[in-house]
């Protein structure tokens, strides 16, 4: 492979060209060995590292050998269950080492594992299970009750297995797999699984509607893990601190796979805790950590921790670190390097800020432009579509002009990063493809994200298009929230959108409710808790008796978004979802001012 051209490095920082070269070198062999999937790589590593730690947690630690053996038990379990190639198994489980062992084993023999969001409940949970059409469902004991509520709504009657505790009506899978051997699968047991086969379903709300199950092939799993191992220069001495949910691609594949293929170990915490973060990082002697922007903001706003600078962290890797947080976060906690990136589970647009430019989500070196065919096109916020010229083609953005980011779909089997593997729903997949963009017949993936690009080629995130907004590190589909709201008696219509709140990443949910009756706010809040994950609960409610619509009967949100939640901007009653009081309370000027000054817990 030809070496990447030399680029000037910033004083005191390693050359970015070396990082790109490592990533290219690690990923180049993937397409040449199509039968070598990540579960096979883990077995190779078990031979090499044996009893070295692989996945660590307070409850359980797995060495490389133990991880390979545990995954082989699950592989044999899947074979005995008659799981055919392409059959799905849903996994509903909090973060723990066993989580990765389960999907490694099942995918080793051709099964597809659907990684369910552990925040889901009610209809949202049933929907995500049903679109995966699983034959089996593995659920952690502490989440069994949540699953029991939706069991009557599940299609296909999947067999339910409980992990970690007894249940009268369901078998325990952690006991069941002890019946199977953990040694390497024999030739007779192995299935013809290649990188082109599907490995996982990872859920994403996309830009509209309910959650969609994105198809994730073994090729993408290999690409993500080996690419980031190269960018971060992972070594066997590294330990990654991972408190991000393992049902997401970042917390479940990137943060784990990238470290394992480099021979390091991953410290897994069930959920993020600002108070415990630095104690964990120092106590486990971590050298890397994975972040999302919201995590960094929380840490920056906590009281000083006695161990917050005693760590050996050499790099933080993640996405969503806001420009106004970047420098303060890096300086307060004495972090040598930040590797910010932009990517989507199902998409083909990837950007990497290897140089550590504050606020930028990445850039594409000129010598890699053929591999990462990404551009920005002018976008019409009224129609939700890119502008087109007189010839019917899209218009590229000028420097520093905001537009939608799109990535070209290339007919190149060797370029895994250019693929769009779609969703389980073909119509949803088709909506993400933009055709006849710059020439007849070309096809590009739509990110649904607005960005700008400066004179030096750095990209900066601006906002999301469509009706989806991001809050607490999760995408919130307004149509799903509105559907849940309207299921409450007395509410005729609901319009949901995101509003900016000082000091918070993303946008908080706000809902306009149309009702003629007095609303029982206590019962309504309980209704939301049972139907929506916490991050999707509206933070603000605005009560009206009617709402204007367009000629096509779409709610006119723009005026309401502009007014936000300021009670002085409207005569409507506005309520605030007070987390400490666990109630919707009237939003008056005093409470509004405290929210503006970041004095209220959101």
């Amino acid at each position: 492979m030809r070496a990447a051209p030399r680029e000037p490095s910033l004083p005191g920082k390693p050359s970015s060209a070396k990082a790109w070269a490592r990533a290219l070198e690690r990923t180049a062999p993937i397409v040449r060995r199509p039968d070598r999937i990540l579960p096979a790589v883990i077995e190779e590593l078990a031979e090499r590292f044996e009893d070295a730690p692989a996945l660590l947690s307070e409850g359980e630690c797995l060495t490389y050998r133990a991880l390979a053996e545990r995954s082989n038990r699950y592989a044999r379990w899947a074979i005995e269950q008659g799981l055919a190639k392409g059959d799905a198994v849903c996994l509903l489980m909090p973060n723990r080492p066993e989580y990765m062992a389960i999907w490694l084993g099942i995918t080793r023999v051709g099964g597809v594992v659907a990684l369910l969001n552990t925040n889901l409940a009610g209809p949202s949970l049933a929907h995500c299970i049903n679109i995966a059409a699983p034959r089996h469902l593995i659920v952690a004991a502490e989440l069994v009750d949540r699953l029991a509520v939706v069991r009557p709504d599940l299609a296909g009657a999947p067999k339910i297995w409980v992990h970690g505790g007894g249940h009268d009506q369901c078998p325990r899978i952690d006991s069941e797999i002890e019946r199977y051997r953990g040694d390497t699968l024999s030739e007779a047991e192995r299935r013809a699984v290649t990188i082109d086969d599907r490995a996982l379903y990872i859920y994403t709300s996309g830009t509209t509607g309910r959650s969609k199950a994105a198809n994730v092939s073994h090729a993408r799993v290999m690409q993500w893990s080996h690419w980031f191992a190269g960018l971060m220069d992972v070594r066997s001495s590294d330990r990654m601190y991972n408190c991000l949910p393992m049902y997401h691609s970042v917390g479940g594949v990137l943060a784990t796979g990238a470290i394992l293929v480099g021979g390091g170990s991953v410290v897994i915490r069930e959920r993020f805790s600002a108070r415990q973060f630095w104690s964990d990082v120092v106590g486990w002697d971590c050298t890397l950590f994975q972040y999302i922007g919201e995590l960094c903001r929380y840490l920056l706003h906590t009281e000083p921790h006695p161990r917050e600078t005693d760590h050996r962290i050499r790099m933080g890797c993640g996405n969503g670190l806001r420009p106004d947080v970047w420098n303060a976060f890096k300086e307060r906690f004495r972090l040598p390097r930040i590797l910010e990136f932009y990517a989507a589970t199902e998409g083909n647009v990837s950007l990497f800020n290897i140089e550590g430019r504050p606020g930028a989500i990445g850039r594409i070196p000129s010598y890699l432009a053929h591999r990462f065919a990404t551009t920005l096109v002018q976008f019409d916020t009224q129609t939700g579509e890119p502008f087109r010229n007189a010839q019917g083609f899209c218009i590229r953005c000028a420097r520093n002009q905001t537009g939608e980011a799109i990535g070209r779909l290339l007919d190149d089997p060797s370029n895994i990063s250019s693929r769009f593997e779609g969703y389980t729903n073909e119509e949803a997949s088709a909506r993400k493809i933009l055709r006849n963009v710059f020439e007849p017949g070309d096809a590009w993936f739509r990110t649904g994200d607005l960005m700008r690009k400066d004179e030096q080629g750095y990209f900066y995130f601006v906002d999301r298009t469509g009706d989806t907004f991001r809050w607490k590190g999760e995408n919130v589909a307004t149509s799903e929230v509105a559907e849940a709201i309207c299921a409450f008696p007395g509410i005729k219509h609901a319009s949901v959108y995101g509003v900016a709140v000082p000091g918070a990443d993303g946008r908080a949910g706000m809902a306009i409710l149309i009702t003629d009756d007095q609303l029982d706010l206590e019962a309504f809040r309980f209704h939301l808790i049972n139907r929506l994950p916490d991050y999707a609960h509206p933070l603000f409610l605005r009560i009206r008796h009617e709402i204007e619509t367009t000629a096509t009967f779409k709610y006119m949100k723009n005026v309401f978004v502009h007014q936000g939640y300021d009670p002085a901007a409207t005569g409507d009653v506005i309520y605030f979802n007070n987390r400490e009081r666990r109630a919707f309370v009237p939003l008056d000027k005093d409470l509004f001012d405290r929210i503006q000054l970041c004095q209220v817990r959101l």
Side-chain angles (χ1 to χ4, degrees):
M1 182 183 68
R2 189 175 65 180
R6 184 180 179 86
E7 289 191 348
S9 58
L10 298 175
K13 294 187 177 181
S15 168
S16 63
K18 291 182 180 179
W20 288 109
R22 286 193 305 266
L24 292 168
E25 184 178 7
R26 282 182 176 266
T27 54
I30 294 175
V31 294
R32 297 198 294 265
R33 289 279 310 277
D35 60 330
R36 187 172 180 263
I37 59 179
L38 187 61
V41 173
I42 297 300
E43 279 201 318
E44 296 170 10
L45 293 167
E47 292 293 321
R48 179 180 173 187
F49 293 108
E50 297 185 334
D51 294 327
L55 302 175
L56 310 173
S57 73
E58 291 291 343
E60 180 182 28
C61 298
L62 293 178
T63 65
Y64 276 87
R65 185 195 303 275
L67 176 59
E69 290 178 350
R70 188 77 58 87
S71 64
N72 284 334
R73 293 179 192 273
Y74 279 104
R76 289 188 168 96
W77 168 83
I79 293 172
E80 186 167 297
Q81 295 302 316
L83 207 70
K85 188 175 177 179
D87 284 348
V89 176
C90 281
L91 178 59
L92 182 64
M93 178 180 288
N95 284 9
R96 60 187 60 164
E98 188 85 359
Y99 193 99
M100 192 172 188
I102 291 172
W103 72 253
L104 283 172
I106 294 172
T107 62
R108 181 74 169 88
V109 292
V112 182
V113 181
L115 309 182
L116 295 172
N117 187 325
T118 54
N119 291 296
L120 296 177
S124 298
L125 176 58
H127 165 77
C128 288
I129 294 171
N130 287 336
I131 61 175
R135 288 190 55 192
H136 298 269
L137 199 157
I138 299 173
V139 57
E142 59 266 42
L143 299 176
V144 168
D145 290 343
R146 190 182 306 175
L147 187 62
V149 173
V150 303
R151 194 167 185 176
D153 300 320
L154 301 184
K159 185 171 182 179
I160 297 175
W161 300 78
V162 178
H163 185 280
H167 193 271
D168 294 341
Q169 299 176 348
C170 302
R172 282 188 60 173
I173 194 166
D174 47 329
S175 300
E176 179 71 11
I177 64 162
E178 294 303 319
R179 297 177 41 233
Y180 303 98
R181 303 194 323 274
D183 57 320
T184 302
L185 299 182
S186 66
E187 287 297 325
E189 292 173 308
R190 295 186 183 186
R191 308 278 178 81
V193 182
T194 73
I195 59 172
D196 292 321
D197 290 315
R198 191 177 298 158
L200 303 170
Y201 291 134
I202 298 181
Y203 294 84
T204 172
S205 64
T207 55
T208 58
R210 281 186 162 187
S211 296
K212 296 182 283 289
N215 299 317
V216 177
S217 67
H218 285 281
R220 287 179 83 81
V221 171
M222 288 286 285
Q223 177 76 12
W224 292 342
S225 54
H226 287 77
W227 182 265
F228 277 92
L231 288 184
M232 292 188 286
D233 194 16
V234 176
R235 307 150 195 173
S236 59
S237 57
D238 276 319
R239 280 193 176 181
M240 167 70 81
Y241 184 70
N242 179 32
C243 57
L244 302 183
M246 294 179 74
Y247 55 75
H248 278 171
S249 52
V250 172
V253 180
L254 191 162
T256 52
I259 307 306
L260 294 180
V261 300
S265 53
V266 184
V267 176
I268 298 172
R269 183 180 173 87
E270 183 171 328
R271 61 177 61 87
F272 167 66
S273 167
R275 289 189 179 91
Q276 293 298 317
F277 186 90
W278 294 113
S279 294
D280 285 348
V281 165
V282 175
W284 285 100
D285 197 24
C286 295
T287 58
L288 304 165
F289 74 94
Q290 197 77 36
Y291 69 82
I292 57 173
E294 188 76 357
L295 179 152
C296 300
R297 187 183 69 83
Y298 277 132
L299 288 174
L300 191 61
H301 287 86
T302 56
E303 293 295 320
H305 190 283
R307 310 194 75 181
E308 65 183 34
T309 58
D310 292 343
H311 57 78
R312 289 202 310 123
I313 293 290
R314 64 177 180 85
M315 179 189 295
C317 176
N319 51 53
L321 184 56
R322 281 176 24 181
D324 60 326
V325 173
W326 188 301
N327 285 330
F329 180 75
K330 191 170 182 288
E331 291 170 7
R332 171 177 166 179
F333 301 116
R334 299 180 188 175
L335 301 172
R337 293 194 64 196
I338 294 291
L339 174 58
E340 173 81 3
F341 70 91
Y342 168 89
T345 299
E346 76 278 35
N348 69 341
V349 174
S350 299
L351 301 165
F352 308 94
N353 183 358
I354 298 173
E355 298 82 2
R357 171 69 63 92
I361 58 177
R363 72 181 185 93
I364 302 171
S366 58
Y367 55 85
L368 288 177
H370 65 291
R371 287 183 62 95
F372 300 97
T374 298
T375 193
L376 305 181
V377 291
Q378 295 180 23
F379 183 79
D380 185 348
T381 56
Q382 297 300 314
T383 65
E385 296 292 331
F387 284 111
R388 293 190 181 256
N389 60 22
Q391 291 73 42
F393 297 123
C394 295
I395 307 166
R396 295 182 191 270
C397 290
R399 296 293 186 185
N400 288 310
Q401 182 180 20
T402 296
E404 183 178 2
I406 59 175
R408 185 159 192 173
L409 301 176
L410 303 174
D411 186 17
D412 181 4
S414 67
N415 190 347
I416 297 171
S417 60
S418 71
R419 301 179 184 181
F420 168 50
E421 297 177 347
Y423 310 102
T424 54
N425 184 298
E426 292 184 4
E427 291 183 7
S429 301
R431 287 195 295 268
K432 294 294 286 185
I433 300 177
L434 193 64
R435 300 188 183 277
N436 303 315
V437 178
F438 301 116
E439 59 187 25
D442 66 346
W444 294 68
F445 172 80
R446 297 189 65 178
T447 64
D449 289 327
L450 299 176
M451 304 179 189
R452 66 176 178 85
K453 182 180 178 183
D454 69 13
E455 293 81 2
Q456 295 178 294
Y458 287 96
F459 289 81
Y460 298 83
F461 180 83
V462 176
D463 207 348
R464 293 188 65 81
T465 66
D467 285 333
T468 296
F469 58 91
R470 196 163 180 82
W471 182 246
K472 303 291 187 183
E474 301 277 357
N475 290 335
V476 181
T478 59
S479 59
E480 184 173 1
V481 178
E483 180 181 337
I485 289 174
C486 290
F488 188 77
I491 295 179
K492 297 191 297 185
H493 297 290
S495 183
V496 180
Y497 48 93
V499 292
V501 181
D505 291 324
R507 294 179 180 271
M510 184 165 184
I512 295 179
L513 309 185
I514 311 302
T515 178
D516 291 329
D517 304 317
Q518 185 69 29
L519 193 63
D520 185 340
L521 290 173
E522 182 178 358
F524 177 68
R525 193 173 189 276
F526 184 76
H527 167 83
L528 294 179
I529 291 172
N530 287 330
R531 295 185 68 92
L532 293 170
D534 181 72
Y535 60 80
H537 296 174
L539 198 64
F540 303 99
L541 300 179
R542 181 172 172 177
I543 311 298
R544 293 175 64 89
H545 295 303
E546 60 181 8
I547 185 171
E548 298 79 12
T549 62
T550 66
T552 55
F553 303 102
K554 294 180 180 178
Y555 291 128
M556 298 174 65
K557 292 184 182 179
N558 291 344
V559 174
F560 299 113
V561 173
H562 178 72
Q563 292 174 344
Y565 54 92
D566 185 353
T570 175
D572 298 335
V573 178
I574 297 179
Y575 292 94
F576 170 66
N577 193 348
N578 191 307
R579 294 174 63 89
E580 294 181 353
R581 292 176 57 181
R582 299 182 182 180
F584 283 106
V585 300
L587 182 65
D588 56 18
K589 183 180 185 303
D590 177 68
L591 179 54
F592 174 81
D593 290 341
R594 289 169 54 216
I595 293 173
Q596 298 303 100
L597 295 172
C598 306
Q599 296 175 349
V600 178
R601 182 187 174 205
L602 303 181

